[in-house]
Amino acid sequence: MSSMLKRSAWLSTMLGLLLGAATVMPAAAADTTGTTAGTTKTITILHTNDIHSRVEESTDSIGYAKLATIIREQKAANPNTLVLDAGDTFHGQTIANLVRGESIVKIMNTIGYDAMAPGNHDFNYGSDRLVELSGMTKFPVLSANVKKADGSRLLKPYIIKEVGGVKVGIFGLTTPETAYKTHPNNVKGITFADPAAEAKAVVAELKDKADIVIALAHLGVDKSSVDTSIKVAEQVPGIDVIIDGHSHTVLEKGMNVGSVLIAQTGEYSKNIGKVELTLDGTKLKSKTASLTMRPAANTIQADPAVLSIIDEVKKSQDTVLSQVVGSTSVKLIGEREVVRVGESNLGNLITDAMLDETGADVALTNGGGIRASIEAGPITKGQVITVLPFGNYIQTKKVKGSDIVAALELGVSSYPEPLGGFPHVGGLTFVLDPSEAKGQRVSEVMVKGAPLDPQKEYLLATNDFMAAGGDQYTMFQNYPIANDFSSLEESVIAYLQKKGAVEPKTEGRITVKTGTAAAPTPSAPAPAPAQTPAPAPAVTAPASSVYVVKSGDSLWKIAKQYRTTWQHLQQLNRLANPNLIFPGQELIVPVS
């Protein structure tokens, strides 16, 4: 009897423990929805920066449609979620540039952003246009340190949002580098105050109004910059988190500066940032940062509403693309067989436009970035964008003459074989001797008619791809950026509108030394070397198939998959503009 009583007592004890555990379990499970036992809450911040209007999914970018799904799923898991963007958002690609940022506003409104800080490139349409765009958004565009001539702020400095019973103060900061990292006309009458000084003033104002303080900053963490998020974190007490942009830095787990957590995703929606704040009541207990990287998005379904907006915007731009911006009395040669091995009149036109916009001494762009020719006659915006489809923007750097020569040597290193990095130049001429060893082929370099001085610094205009070391132009990589300008296609369009009619020529900017391999004629594609396989024959019906365009596709990407060229696909499908293909569209493709 005694043993039975002991067993009964043991069962009663275990039952009590189980019942006690049952009362705890639901609260613990609720952690994914933003609350835990007692008064503990989790606030999640999803954040982006420096997307530069790369709206569509690609092999590198997650894209806005999948971002929308990530946000929706996160908000379902935790309603206490904020969505923030740290700038360089409204400008960059054709889909944005043609409508001066309005298309990006539509997409971001649909996704459900809570706030944004403008970056330097968000001023590329002018400060008045930025104010207009901020009036179209369903979320505030914040910046405390952008001032008008009378000392008042151009934009709203901060907001306070109540999230799960917690008051979150969010204020914006914009890099003072904007003064020279957009065209000066874009920021006429605008000044950029010291971000740290403005942050101190705003934080003091928020002290008694907010439980949590977040700086939404387009400042970056580059050592080459004076005003960084690190400086703000060090000099301004009272900030809990800085959601950062500008330096395109991947901070996989954030950066801790004192008690401040700085978070940044890199660029182009290659990653989506996530900061989690754990609070006991309204008191912040811990904060962590992480990234959702591109491979993790492979299984995520794209949001159909966002895809629909992108498709609609592209179709609506057909009218804009057909606008005539100038004319040419000669064919502008952009075939890869020419622009990757020698001077072309189209390359000269592009570099002349770069010089005209920037006032640089020398312009240099890569032949691989020139993607089509333009026939004699009227020139439309769409044709220019077909030639320059990548949205690369112009940057200037002060570069030693010796590094300009090194760049030319790199660019002609494969001659007479084609090379995507082949240099097209403005403001200088040089002689190429293919009989010499690589690295010793360039001579008689002249800048504005005078011999190049290897020790002298010249103001170089190039595209941001090459400025960052693209196509192996690493000699430019470590020079600080002097200024940012418009995208290449915008620059050429503006130049054509200014000039009206053009008749560019090949004029000896690149001279191939006589008695060596002959330069390809610029009036027609150069003959392929003997060992190069002949172009594929015209595809007939039995040798073709149908490909259905997917989100993130481009004509060149599809061409690569089917071992052909985008020009061949354009002709095969009679596409007026090879940049305008849409998800669900059927294309004829060759079969191997």
Side-chain angles (χ1 to χ4, degrees):
M1 188 69 179
S2 175
S3 61
M4 287 184 66
L5 286 170
K6 286 180 181 179
R7 179 175 175 80
S8 176
W10 178 83
L11 286 171
S12 297
T13 301
M14 289 304 296
L15 182 59
L17 287 172
L18 287 171
L19 288 170
T23 62
V24 172
M25 284 298 289
D31 183 51
T32 58
T33 63
T35 60
T36 57
T39 59
T40 304
K41 297 181 179 68
T42 299
I43 294 175
T44 301
I45 304 165
L46 295 182
H47 60 97
T48 54
N49 62 273
D50 296 278
I51 292 183
H52 290 274
S53 78
R54 277 140 172 99
V55 302
E56 294 183 282
E57 180 187 4
S58 69
T59 53
D60 292 325
S61 303
I62 293 172
Y64 277 125
K66 285 194 171 182
L67 169 61
T69 301
I70 292 170
I71 291 168
R72 186 175 64 249
E73 291 177 351
Q74 173 60 43
K75 285 185 174 180
N78 181 9
N80 299 332
T81 295
L82 292 168
V83 185
L84 306 177
D85 182 87
D88 275 5
T89 305
F90 292 147
H91 180 275
Q93 300 288 293
T94 301
I95 193 169
N97 300 350
L98 283 180
V99 289
R100 302 172 72 225
E102 188 172 347
S103 55
I104 307 303
V105 171
K106 288 181 180 178
I107 293 169
M108 294 178 77
N109 282 344
T110 301
I111 288 173
Y113 275 84
D114 291 292
M116 168 188 163
N120 50 296
H121 287 292
D122 295 312
F123 287 82
N124 279 8
Y125 311 117
S127 59
D128 288 346
R129 178 58 174 173
L130 177 58
V131 172
E132 284 181 1
L133 292 173
S134 70
M136 299 177 194
T137 60
K138 293 180 181 177
F139 52 89
V141 179
L142 306 172
S143 190
N145 68 314
V146 184
K147 302 291 186 72
K148 294 187 283 188
D150 62 4
S152 63
R153 290 182 170 116
L154 182 75
L155 299 162
K156 192 172 184 175
Y158 67 84
I159 58 167
I160 298 172
K161 288 187 74 75
E162 189 162 319
V163 184
V166 178
K167 292 177 181 178
V168 181
I170 305 167
F171 70 96
L173 295 170
T174 299
T175 175
E177 294 174 359
T178 305
Y180 59 87
K181 287 193 172 179
T182 186
H183 196 288
N185 289 341
N186 294 333
V187 289
K188 203 169 183 178
I190 299 296
T191 57
F192 297 85
D194 181 339
E198 292 299 314
K200 283 179 184 176
V202 172
V203 172
E205 196 172 336
L206 290 172
K207 184 179 179 182
D208 298 323
K209 299 178 181 178
D211 304 308
I212 300 292
V213 176
I214 298 169
L216 189 52
H218 193 83
L219 297 174
V221 294
D222 274 353
K223 291 179 181 178
S224 62
S225 295
V226 174
D227 296 295
T228 65
S229 284
I230 295 172
K231 173 186 167 183
V232 171
E234 289 173 339
Q235 295 187 6
V236 185
I239 298 174
D240 296 299
V241 177
I242 299 178
I243 302 298
D244 195 25
H246 189 48
S247 58
H248 293 216
T249 308
V250 178
L251 299 177
E252 191 169 347
K253 294 184 179 179
M255 173 190 291
N256 290 295
V257 178
S259 62
V260 182
L261 174 64
I262 300 175
Q264 194 183 152
T265 70
E267 61 187 8
Y268 308 151
S269 81
K270 292 177 181 177
N271 310 299
I272 306 301
K274 183 177 184 179
V275 170
E276 291 194 297
L277 309 176
T278 304
L279 302 97
D280 187 355
T282 58
K283 187 175 178 59
L284 183 61
K285 288 296 190 181
S286 66
K287 46 198 171 185
T288 60
S290 61
L291 296 176
T292 297
M293 297 184 173
R294 174 64 187 84
N298 286 338
T299 57
I300 294 170
Q301 294 296 312
D303 185 271
V306 175
L307 288 178
S308 177
I309 291 171
I310 294 170
D311 187 42
E312 181 184 318
V313 170
K314 282 185 167 183
K315 287 178 180 176
S316 72
Q317 291 182 349
D318 284 345
T319 302
V320 179
L321 293 169
S322 65
Q323 291 177 5
V324 174
V325 294
S327 65
T328 174
S329 57
V330 295
K331 181 179 179 180
L332 305 179
I333 307 297
E335 279 92 347
R336 62 185 289 135
E337 296 89 348
V338 174
V339 297
R340 295 180 181 228
V341 291
E343 180 183 353
S344 84
N345 63 352
L346 181 52
N348 289 350
L349 175 71
I350 293 165
T351 52
D352 285 348
M354 295 167 72
L355 291 176
D356 186 73
E357 176 165 348
T358 63
D361 301 311
V362 174
L364 177 62
T365 196
N366 54 326
I370 302 172
R371 310 299 285 189
S373 294
I374 297 176
E375 296 294 333
I379 303 172
T380 65
K381 283 186 177 181
Q383 286 176 301
V384 176
I385 291 163
T386 299
V387 170
L388 299 164
F390 301 115
N392 293 116
Y393 53 92
I394 302 167
Q395 292 182 322
T396 53
K397 293 188 170 191
K398 288 185 177 179
V399 176
K400 282 181 66 175
S402 56
D403 280 326
I404 291 175
V405 175
L408 298 175
E409 290 283 10
L410 170 71
V412 302
S413 60
S414 293
Y415 187 89
E417 294 297 321
L419 182 71
F422 189 90
H424 292 261
V425 298
L428 70 74
T429 62
F430 68 94
V431 173
L432 161 63
D433 187 348
S435 66
E436 292 290 343
K438 292 180 181 180
Q440 301 175 28
R441 293 178 162 190
V442 171
S443 63
E444 300 178 43
V445 183
M446 308 288 283
V447 177
K448 296 181 177 178
L452 175 139
D453 181 346
Q455 298 306 313
K456 180 180 175 181
E457 279 194 338
Y458 295 91
L459 186 62
L460 168 73
T462 188
N463 63 65
D464 62 312
F465 170 70
M466 296 172 69
D471 272 345
Q472 299 185 325
Y473 281 91
T474 54
M475 67 289 297
F476 298 149
Q477 206 166 8
N478 294 325
Y479 285 103
I481 296 166
N483 209 337
D484 283 338
F485 293 87
S486 60
S487 59
L488 280 171
E489 81 277 8
E490 287 177 298
S491 181
V492 172
I493 286 169
Y495 185 71
L496 288 168
Q497 289 172 327
K498 177 180 177 179
K499 294 290 185 181
V502 295
E503 191 180 359
K505 299 178 176 65
T506 50
E507 52 196 31
R509 297 185 189 186
I510 305 171
T511 302
V512 177
K513 197 166 184 180
T514 55
T516 62
T521 172
S523 60
Q531 70 271 27
T532 302
V539 179
T540 57
S544 66
S545 183
V546 172
Y547 177 85
V548 179
V549 177
K550 296 188 287 292
S551 176
D553 274 342
S554 63
L555 211 59
W556 69 264
K557 182 178 174 183
I558 299 167
K560 185 177 179 182
Q561 182 179 340
Y562 286 91
R563 298 181 182 179
T564 184
T565 65
W566 66 262
Q567 292 96 331
H568 184 51
L569 290 184
Q570 181 185 10
Q571 292 171 355
L572 197 61
N573 291 277
R574 299 180 181 179
L575 298 174
N577 188 333
N579 290 313
L580 294 175
I581 59 173
F582 310 103
Q585 182 178 356
E586 293 186 350
L587 297 178
I588 299 171
V589 293
V591 294
S592 55

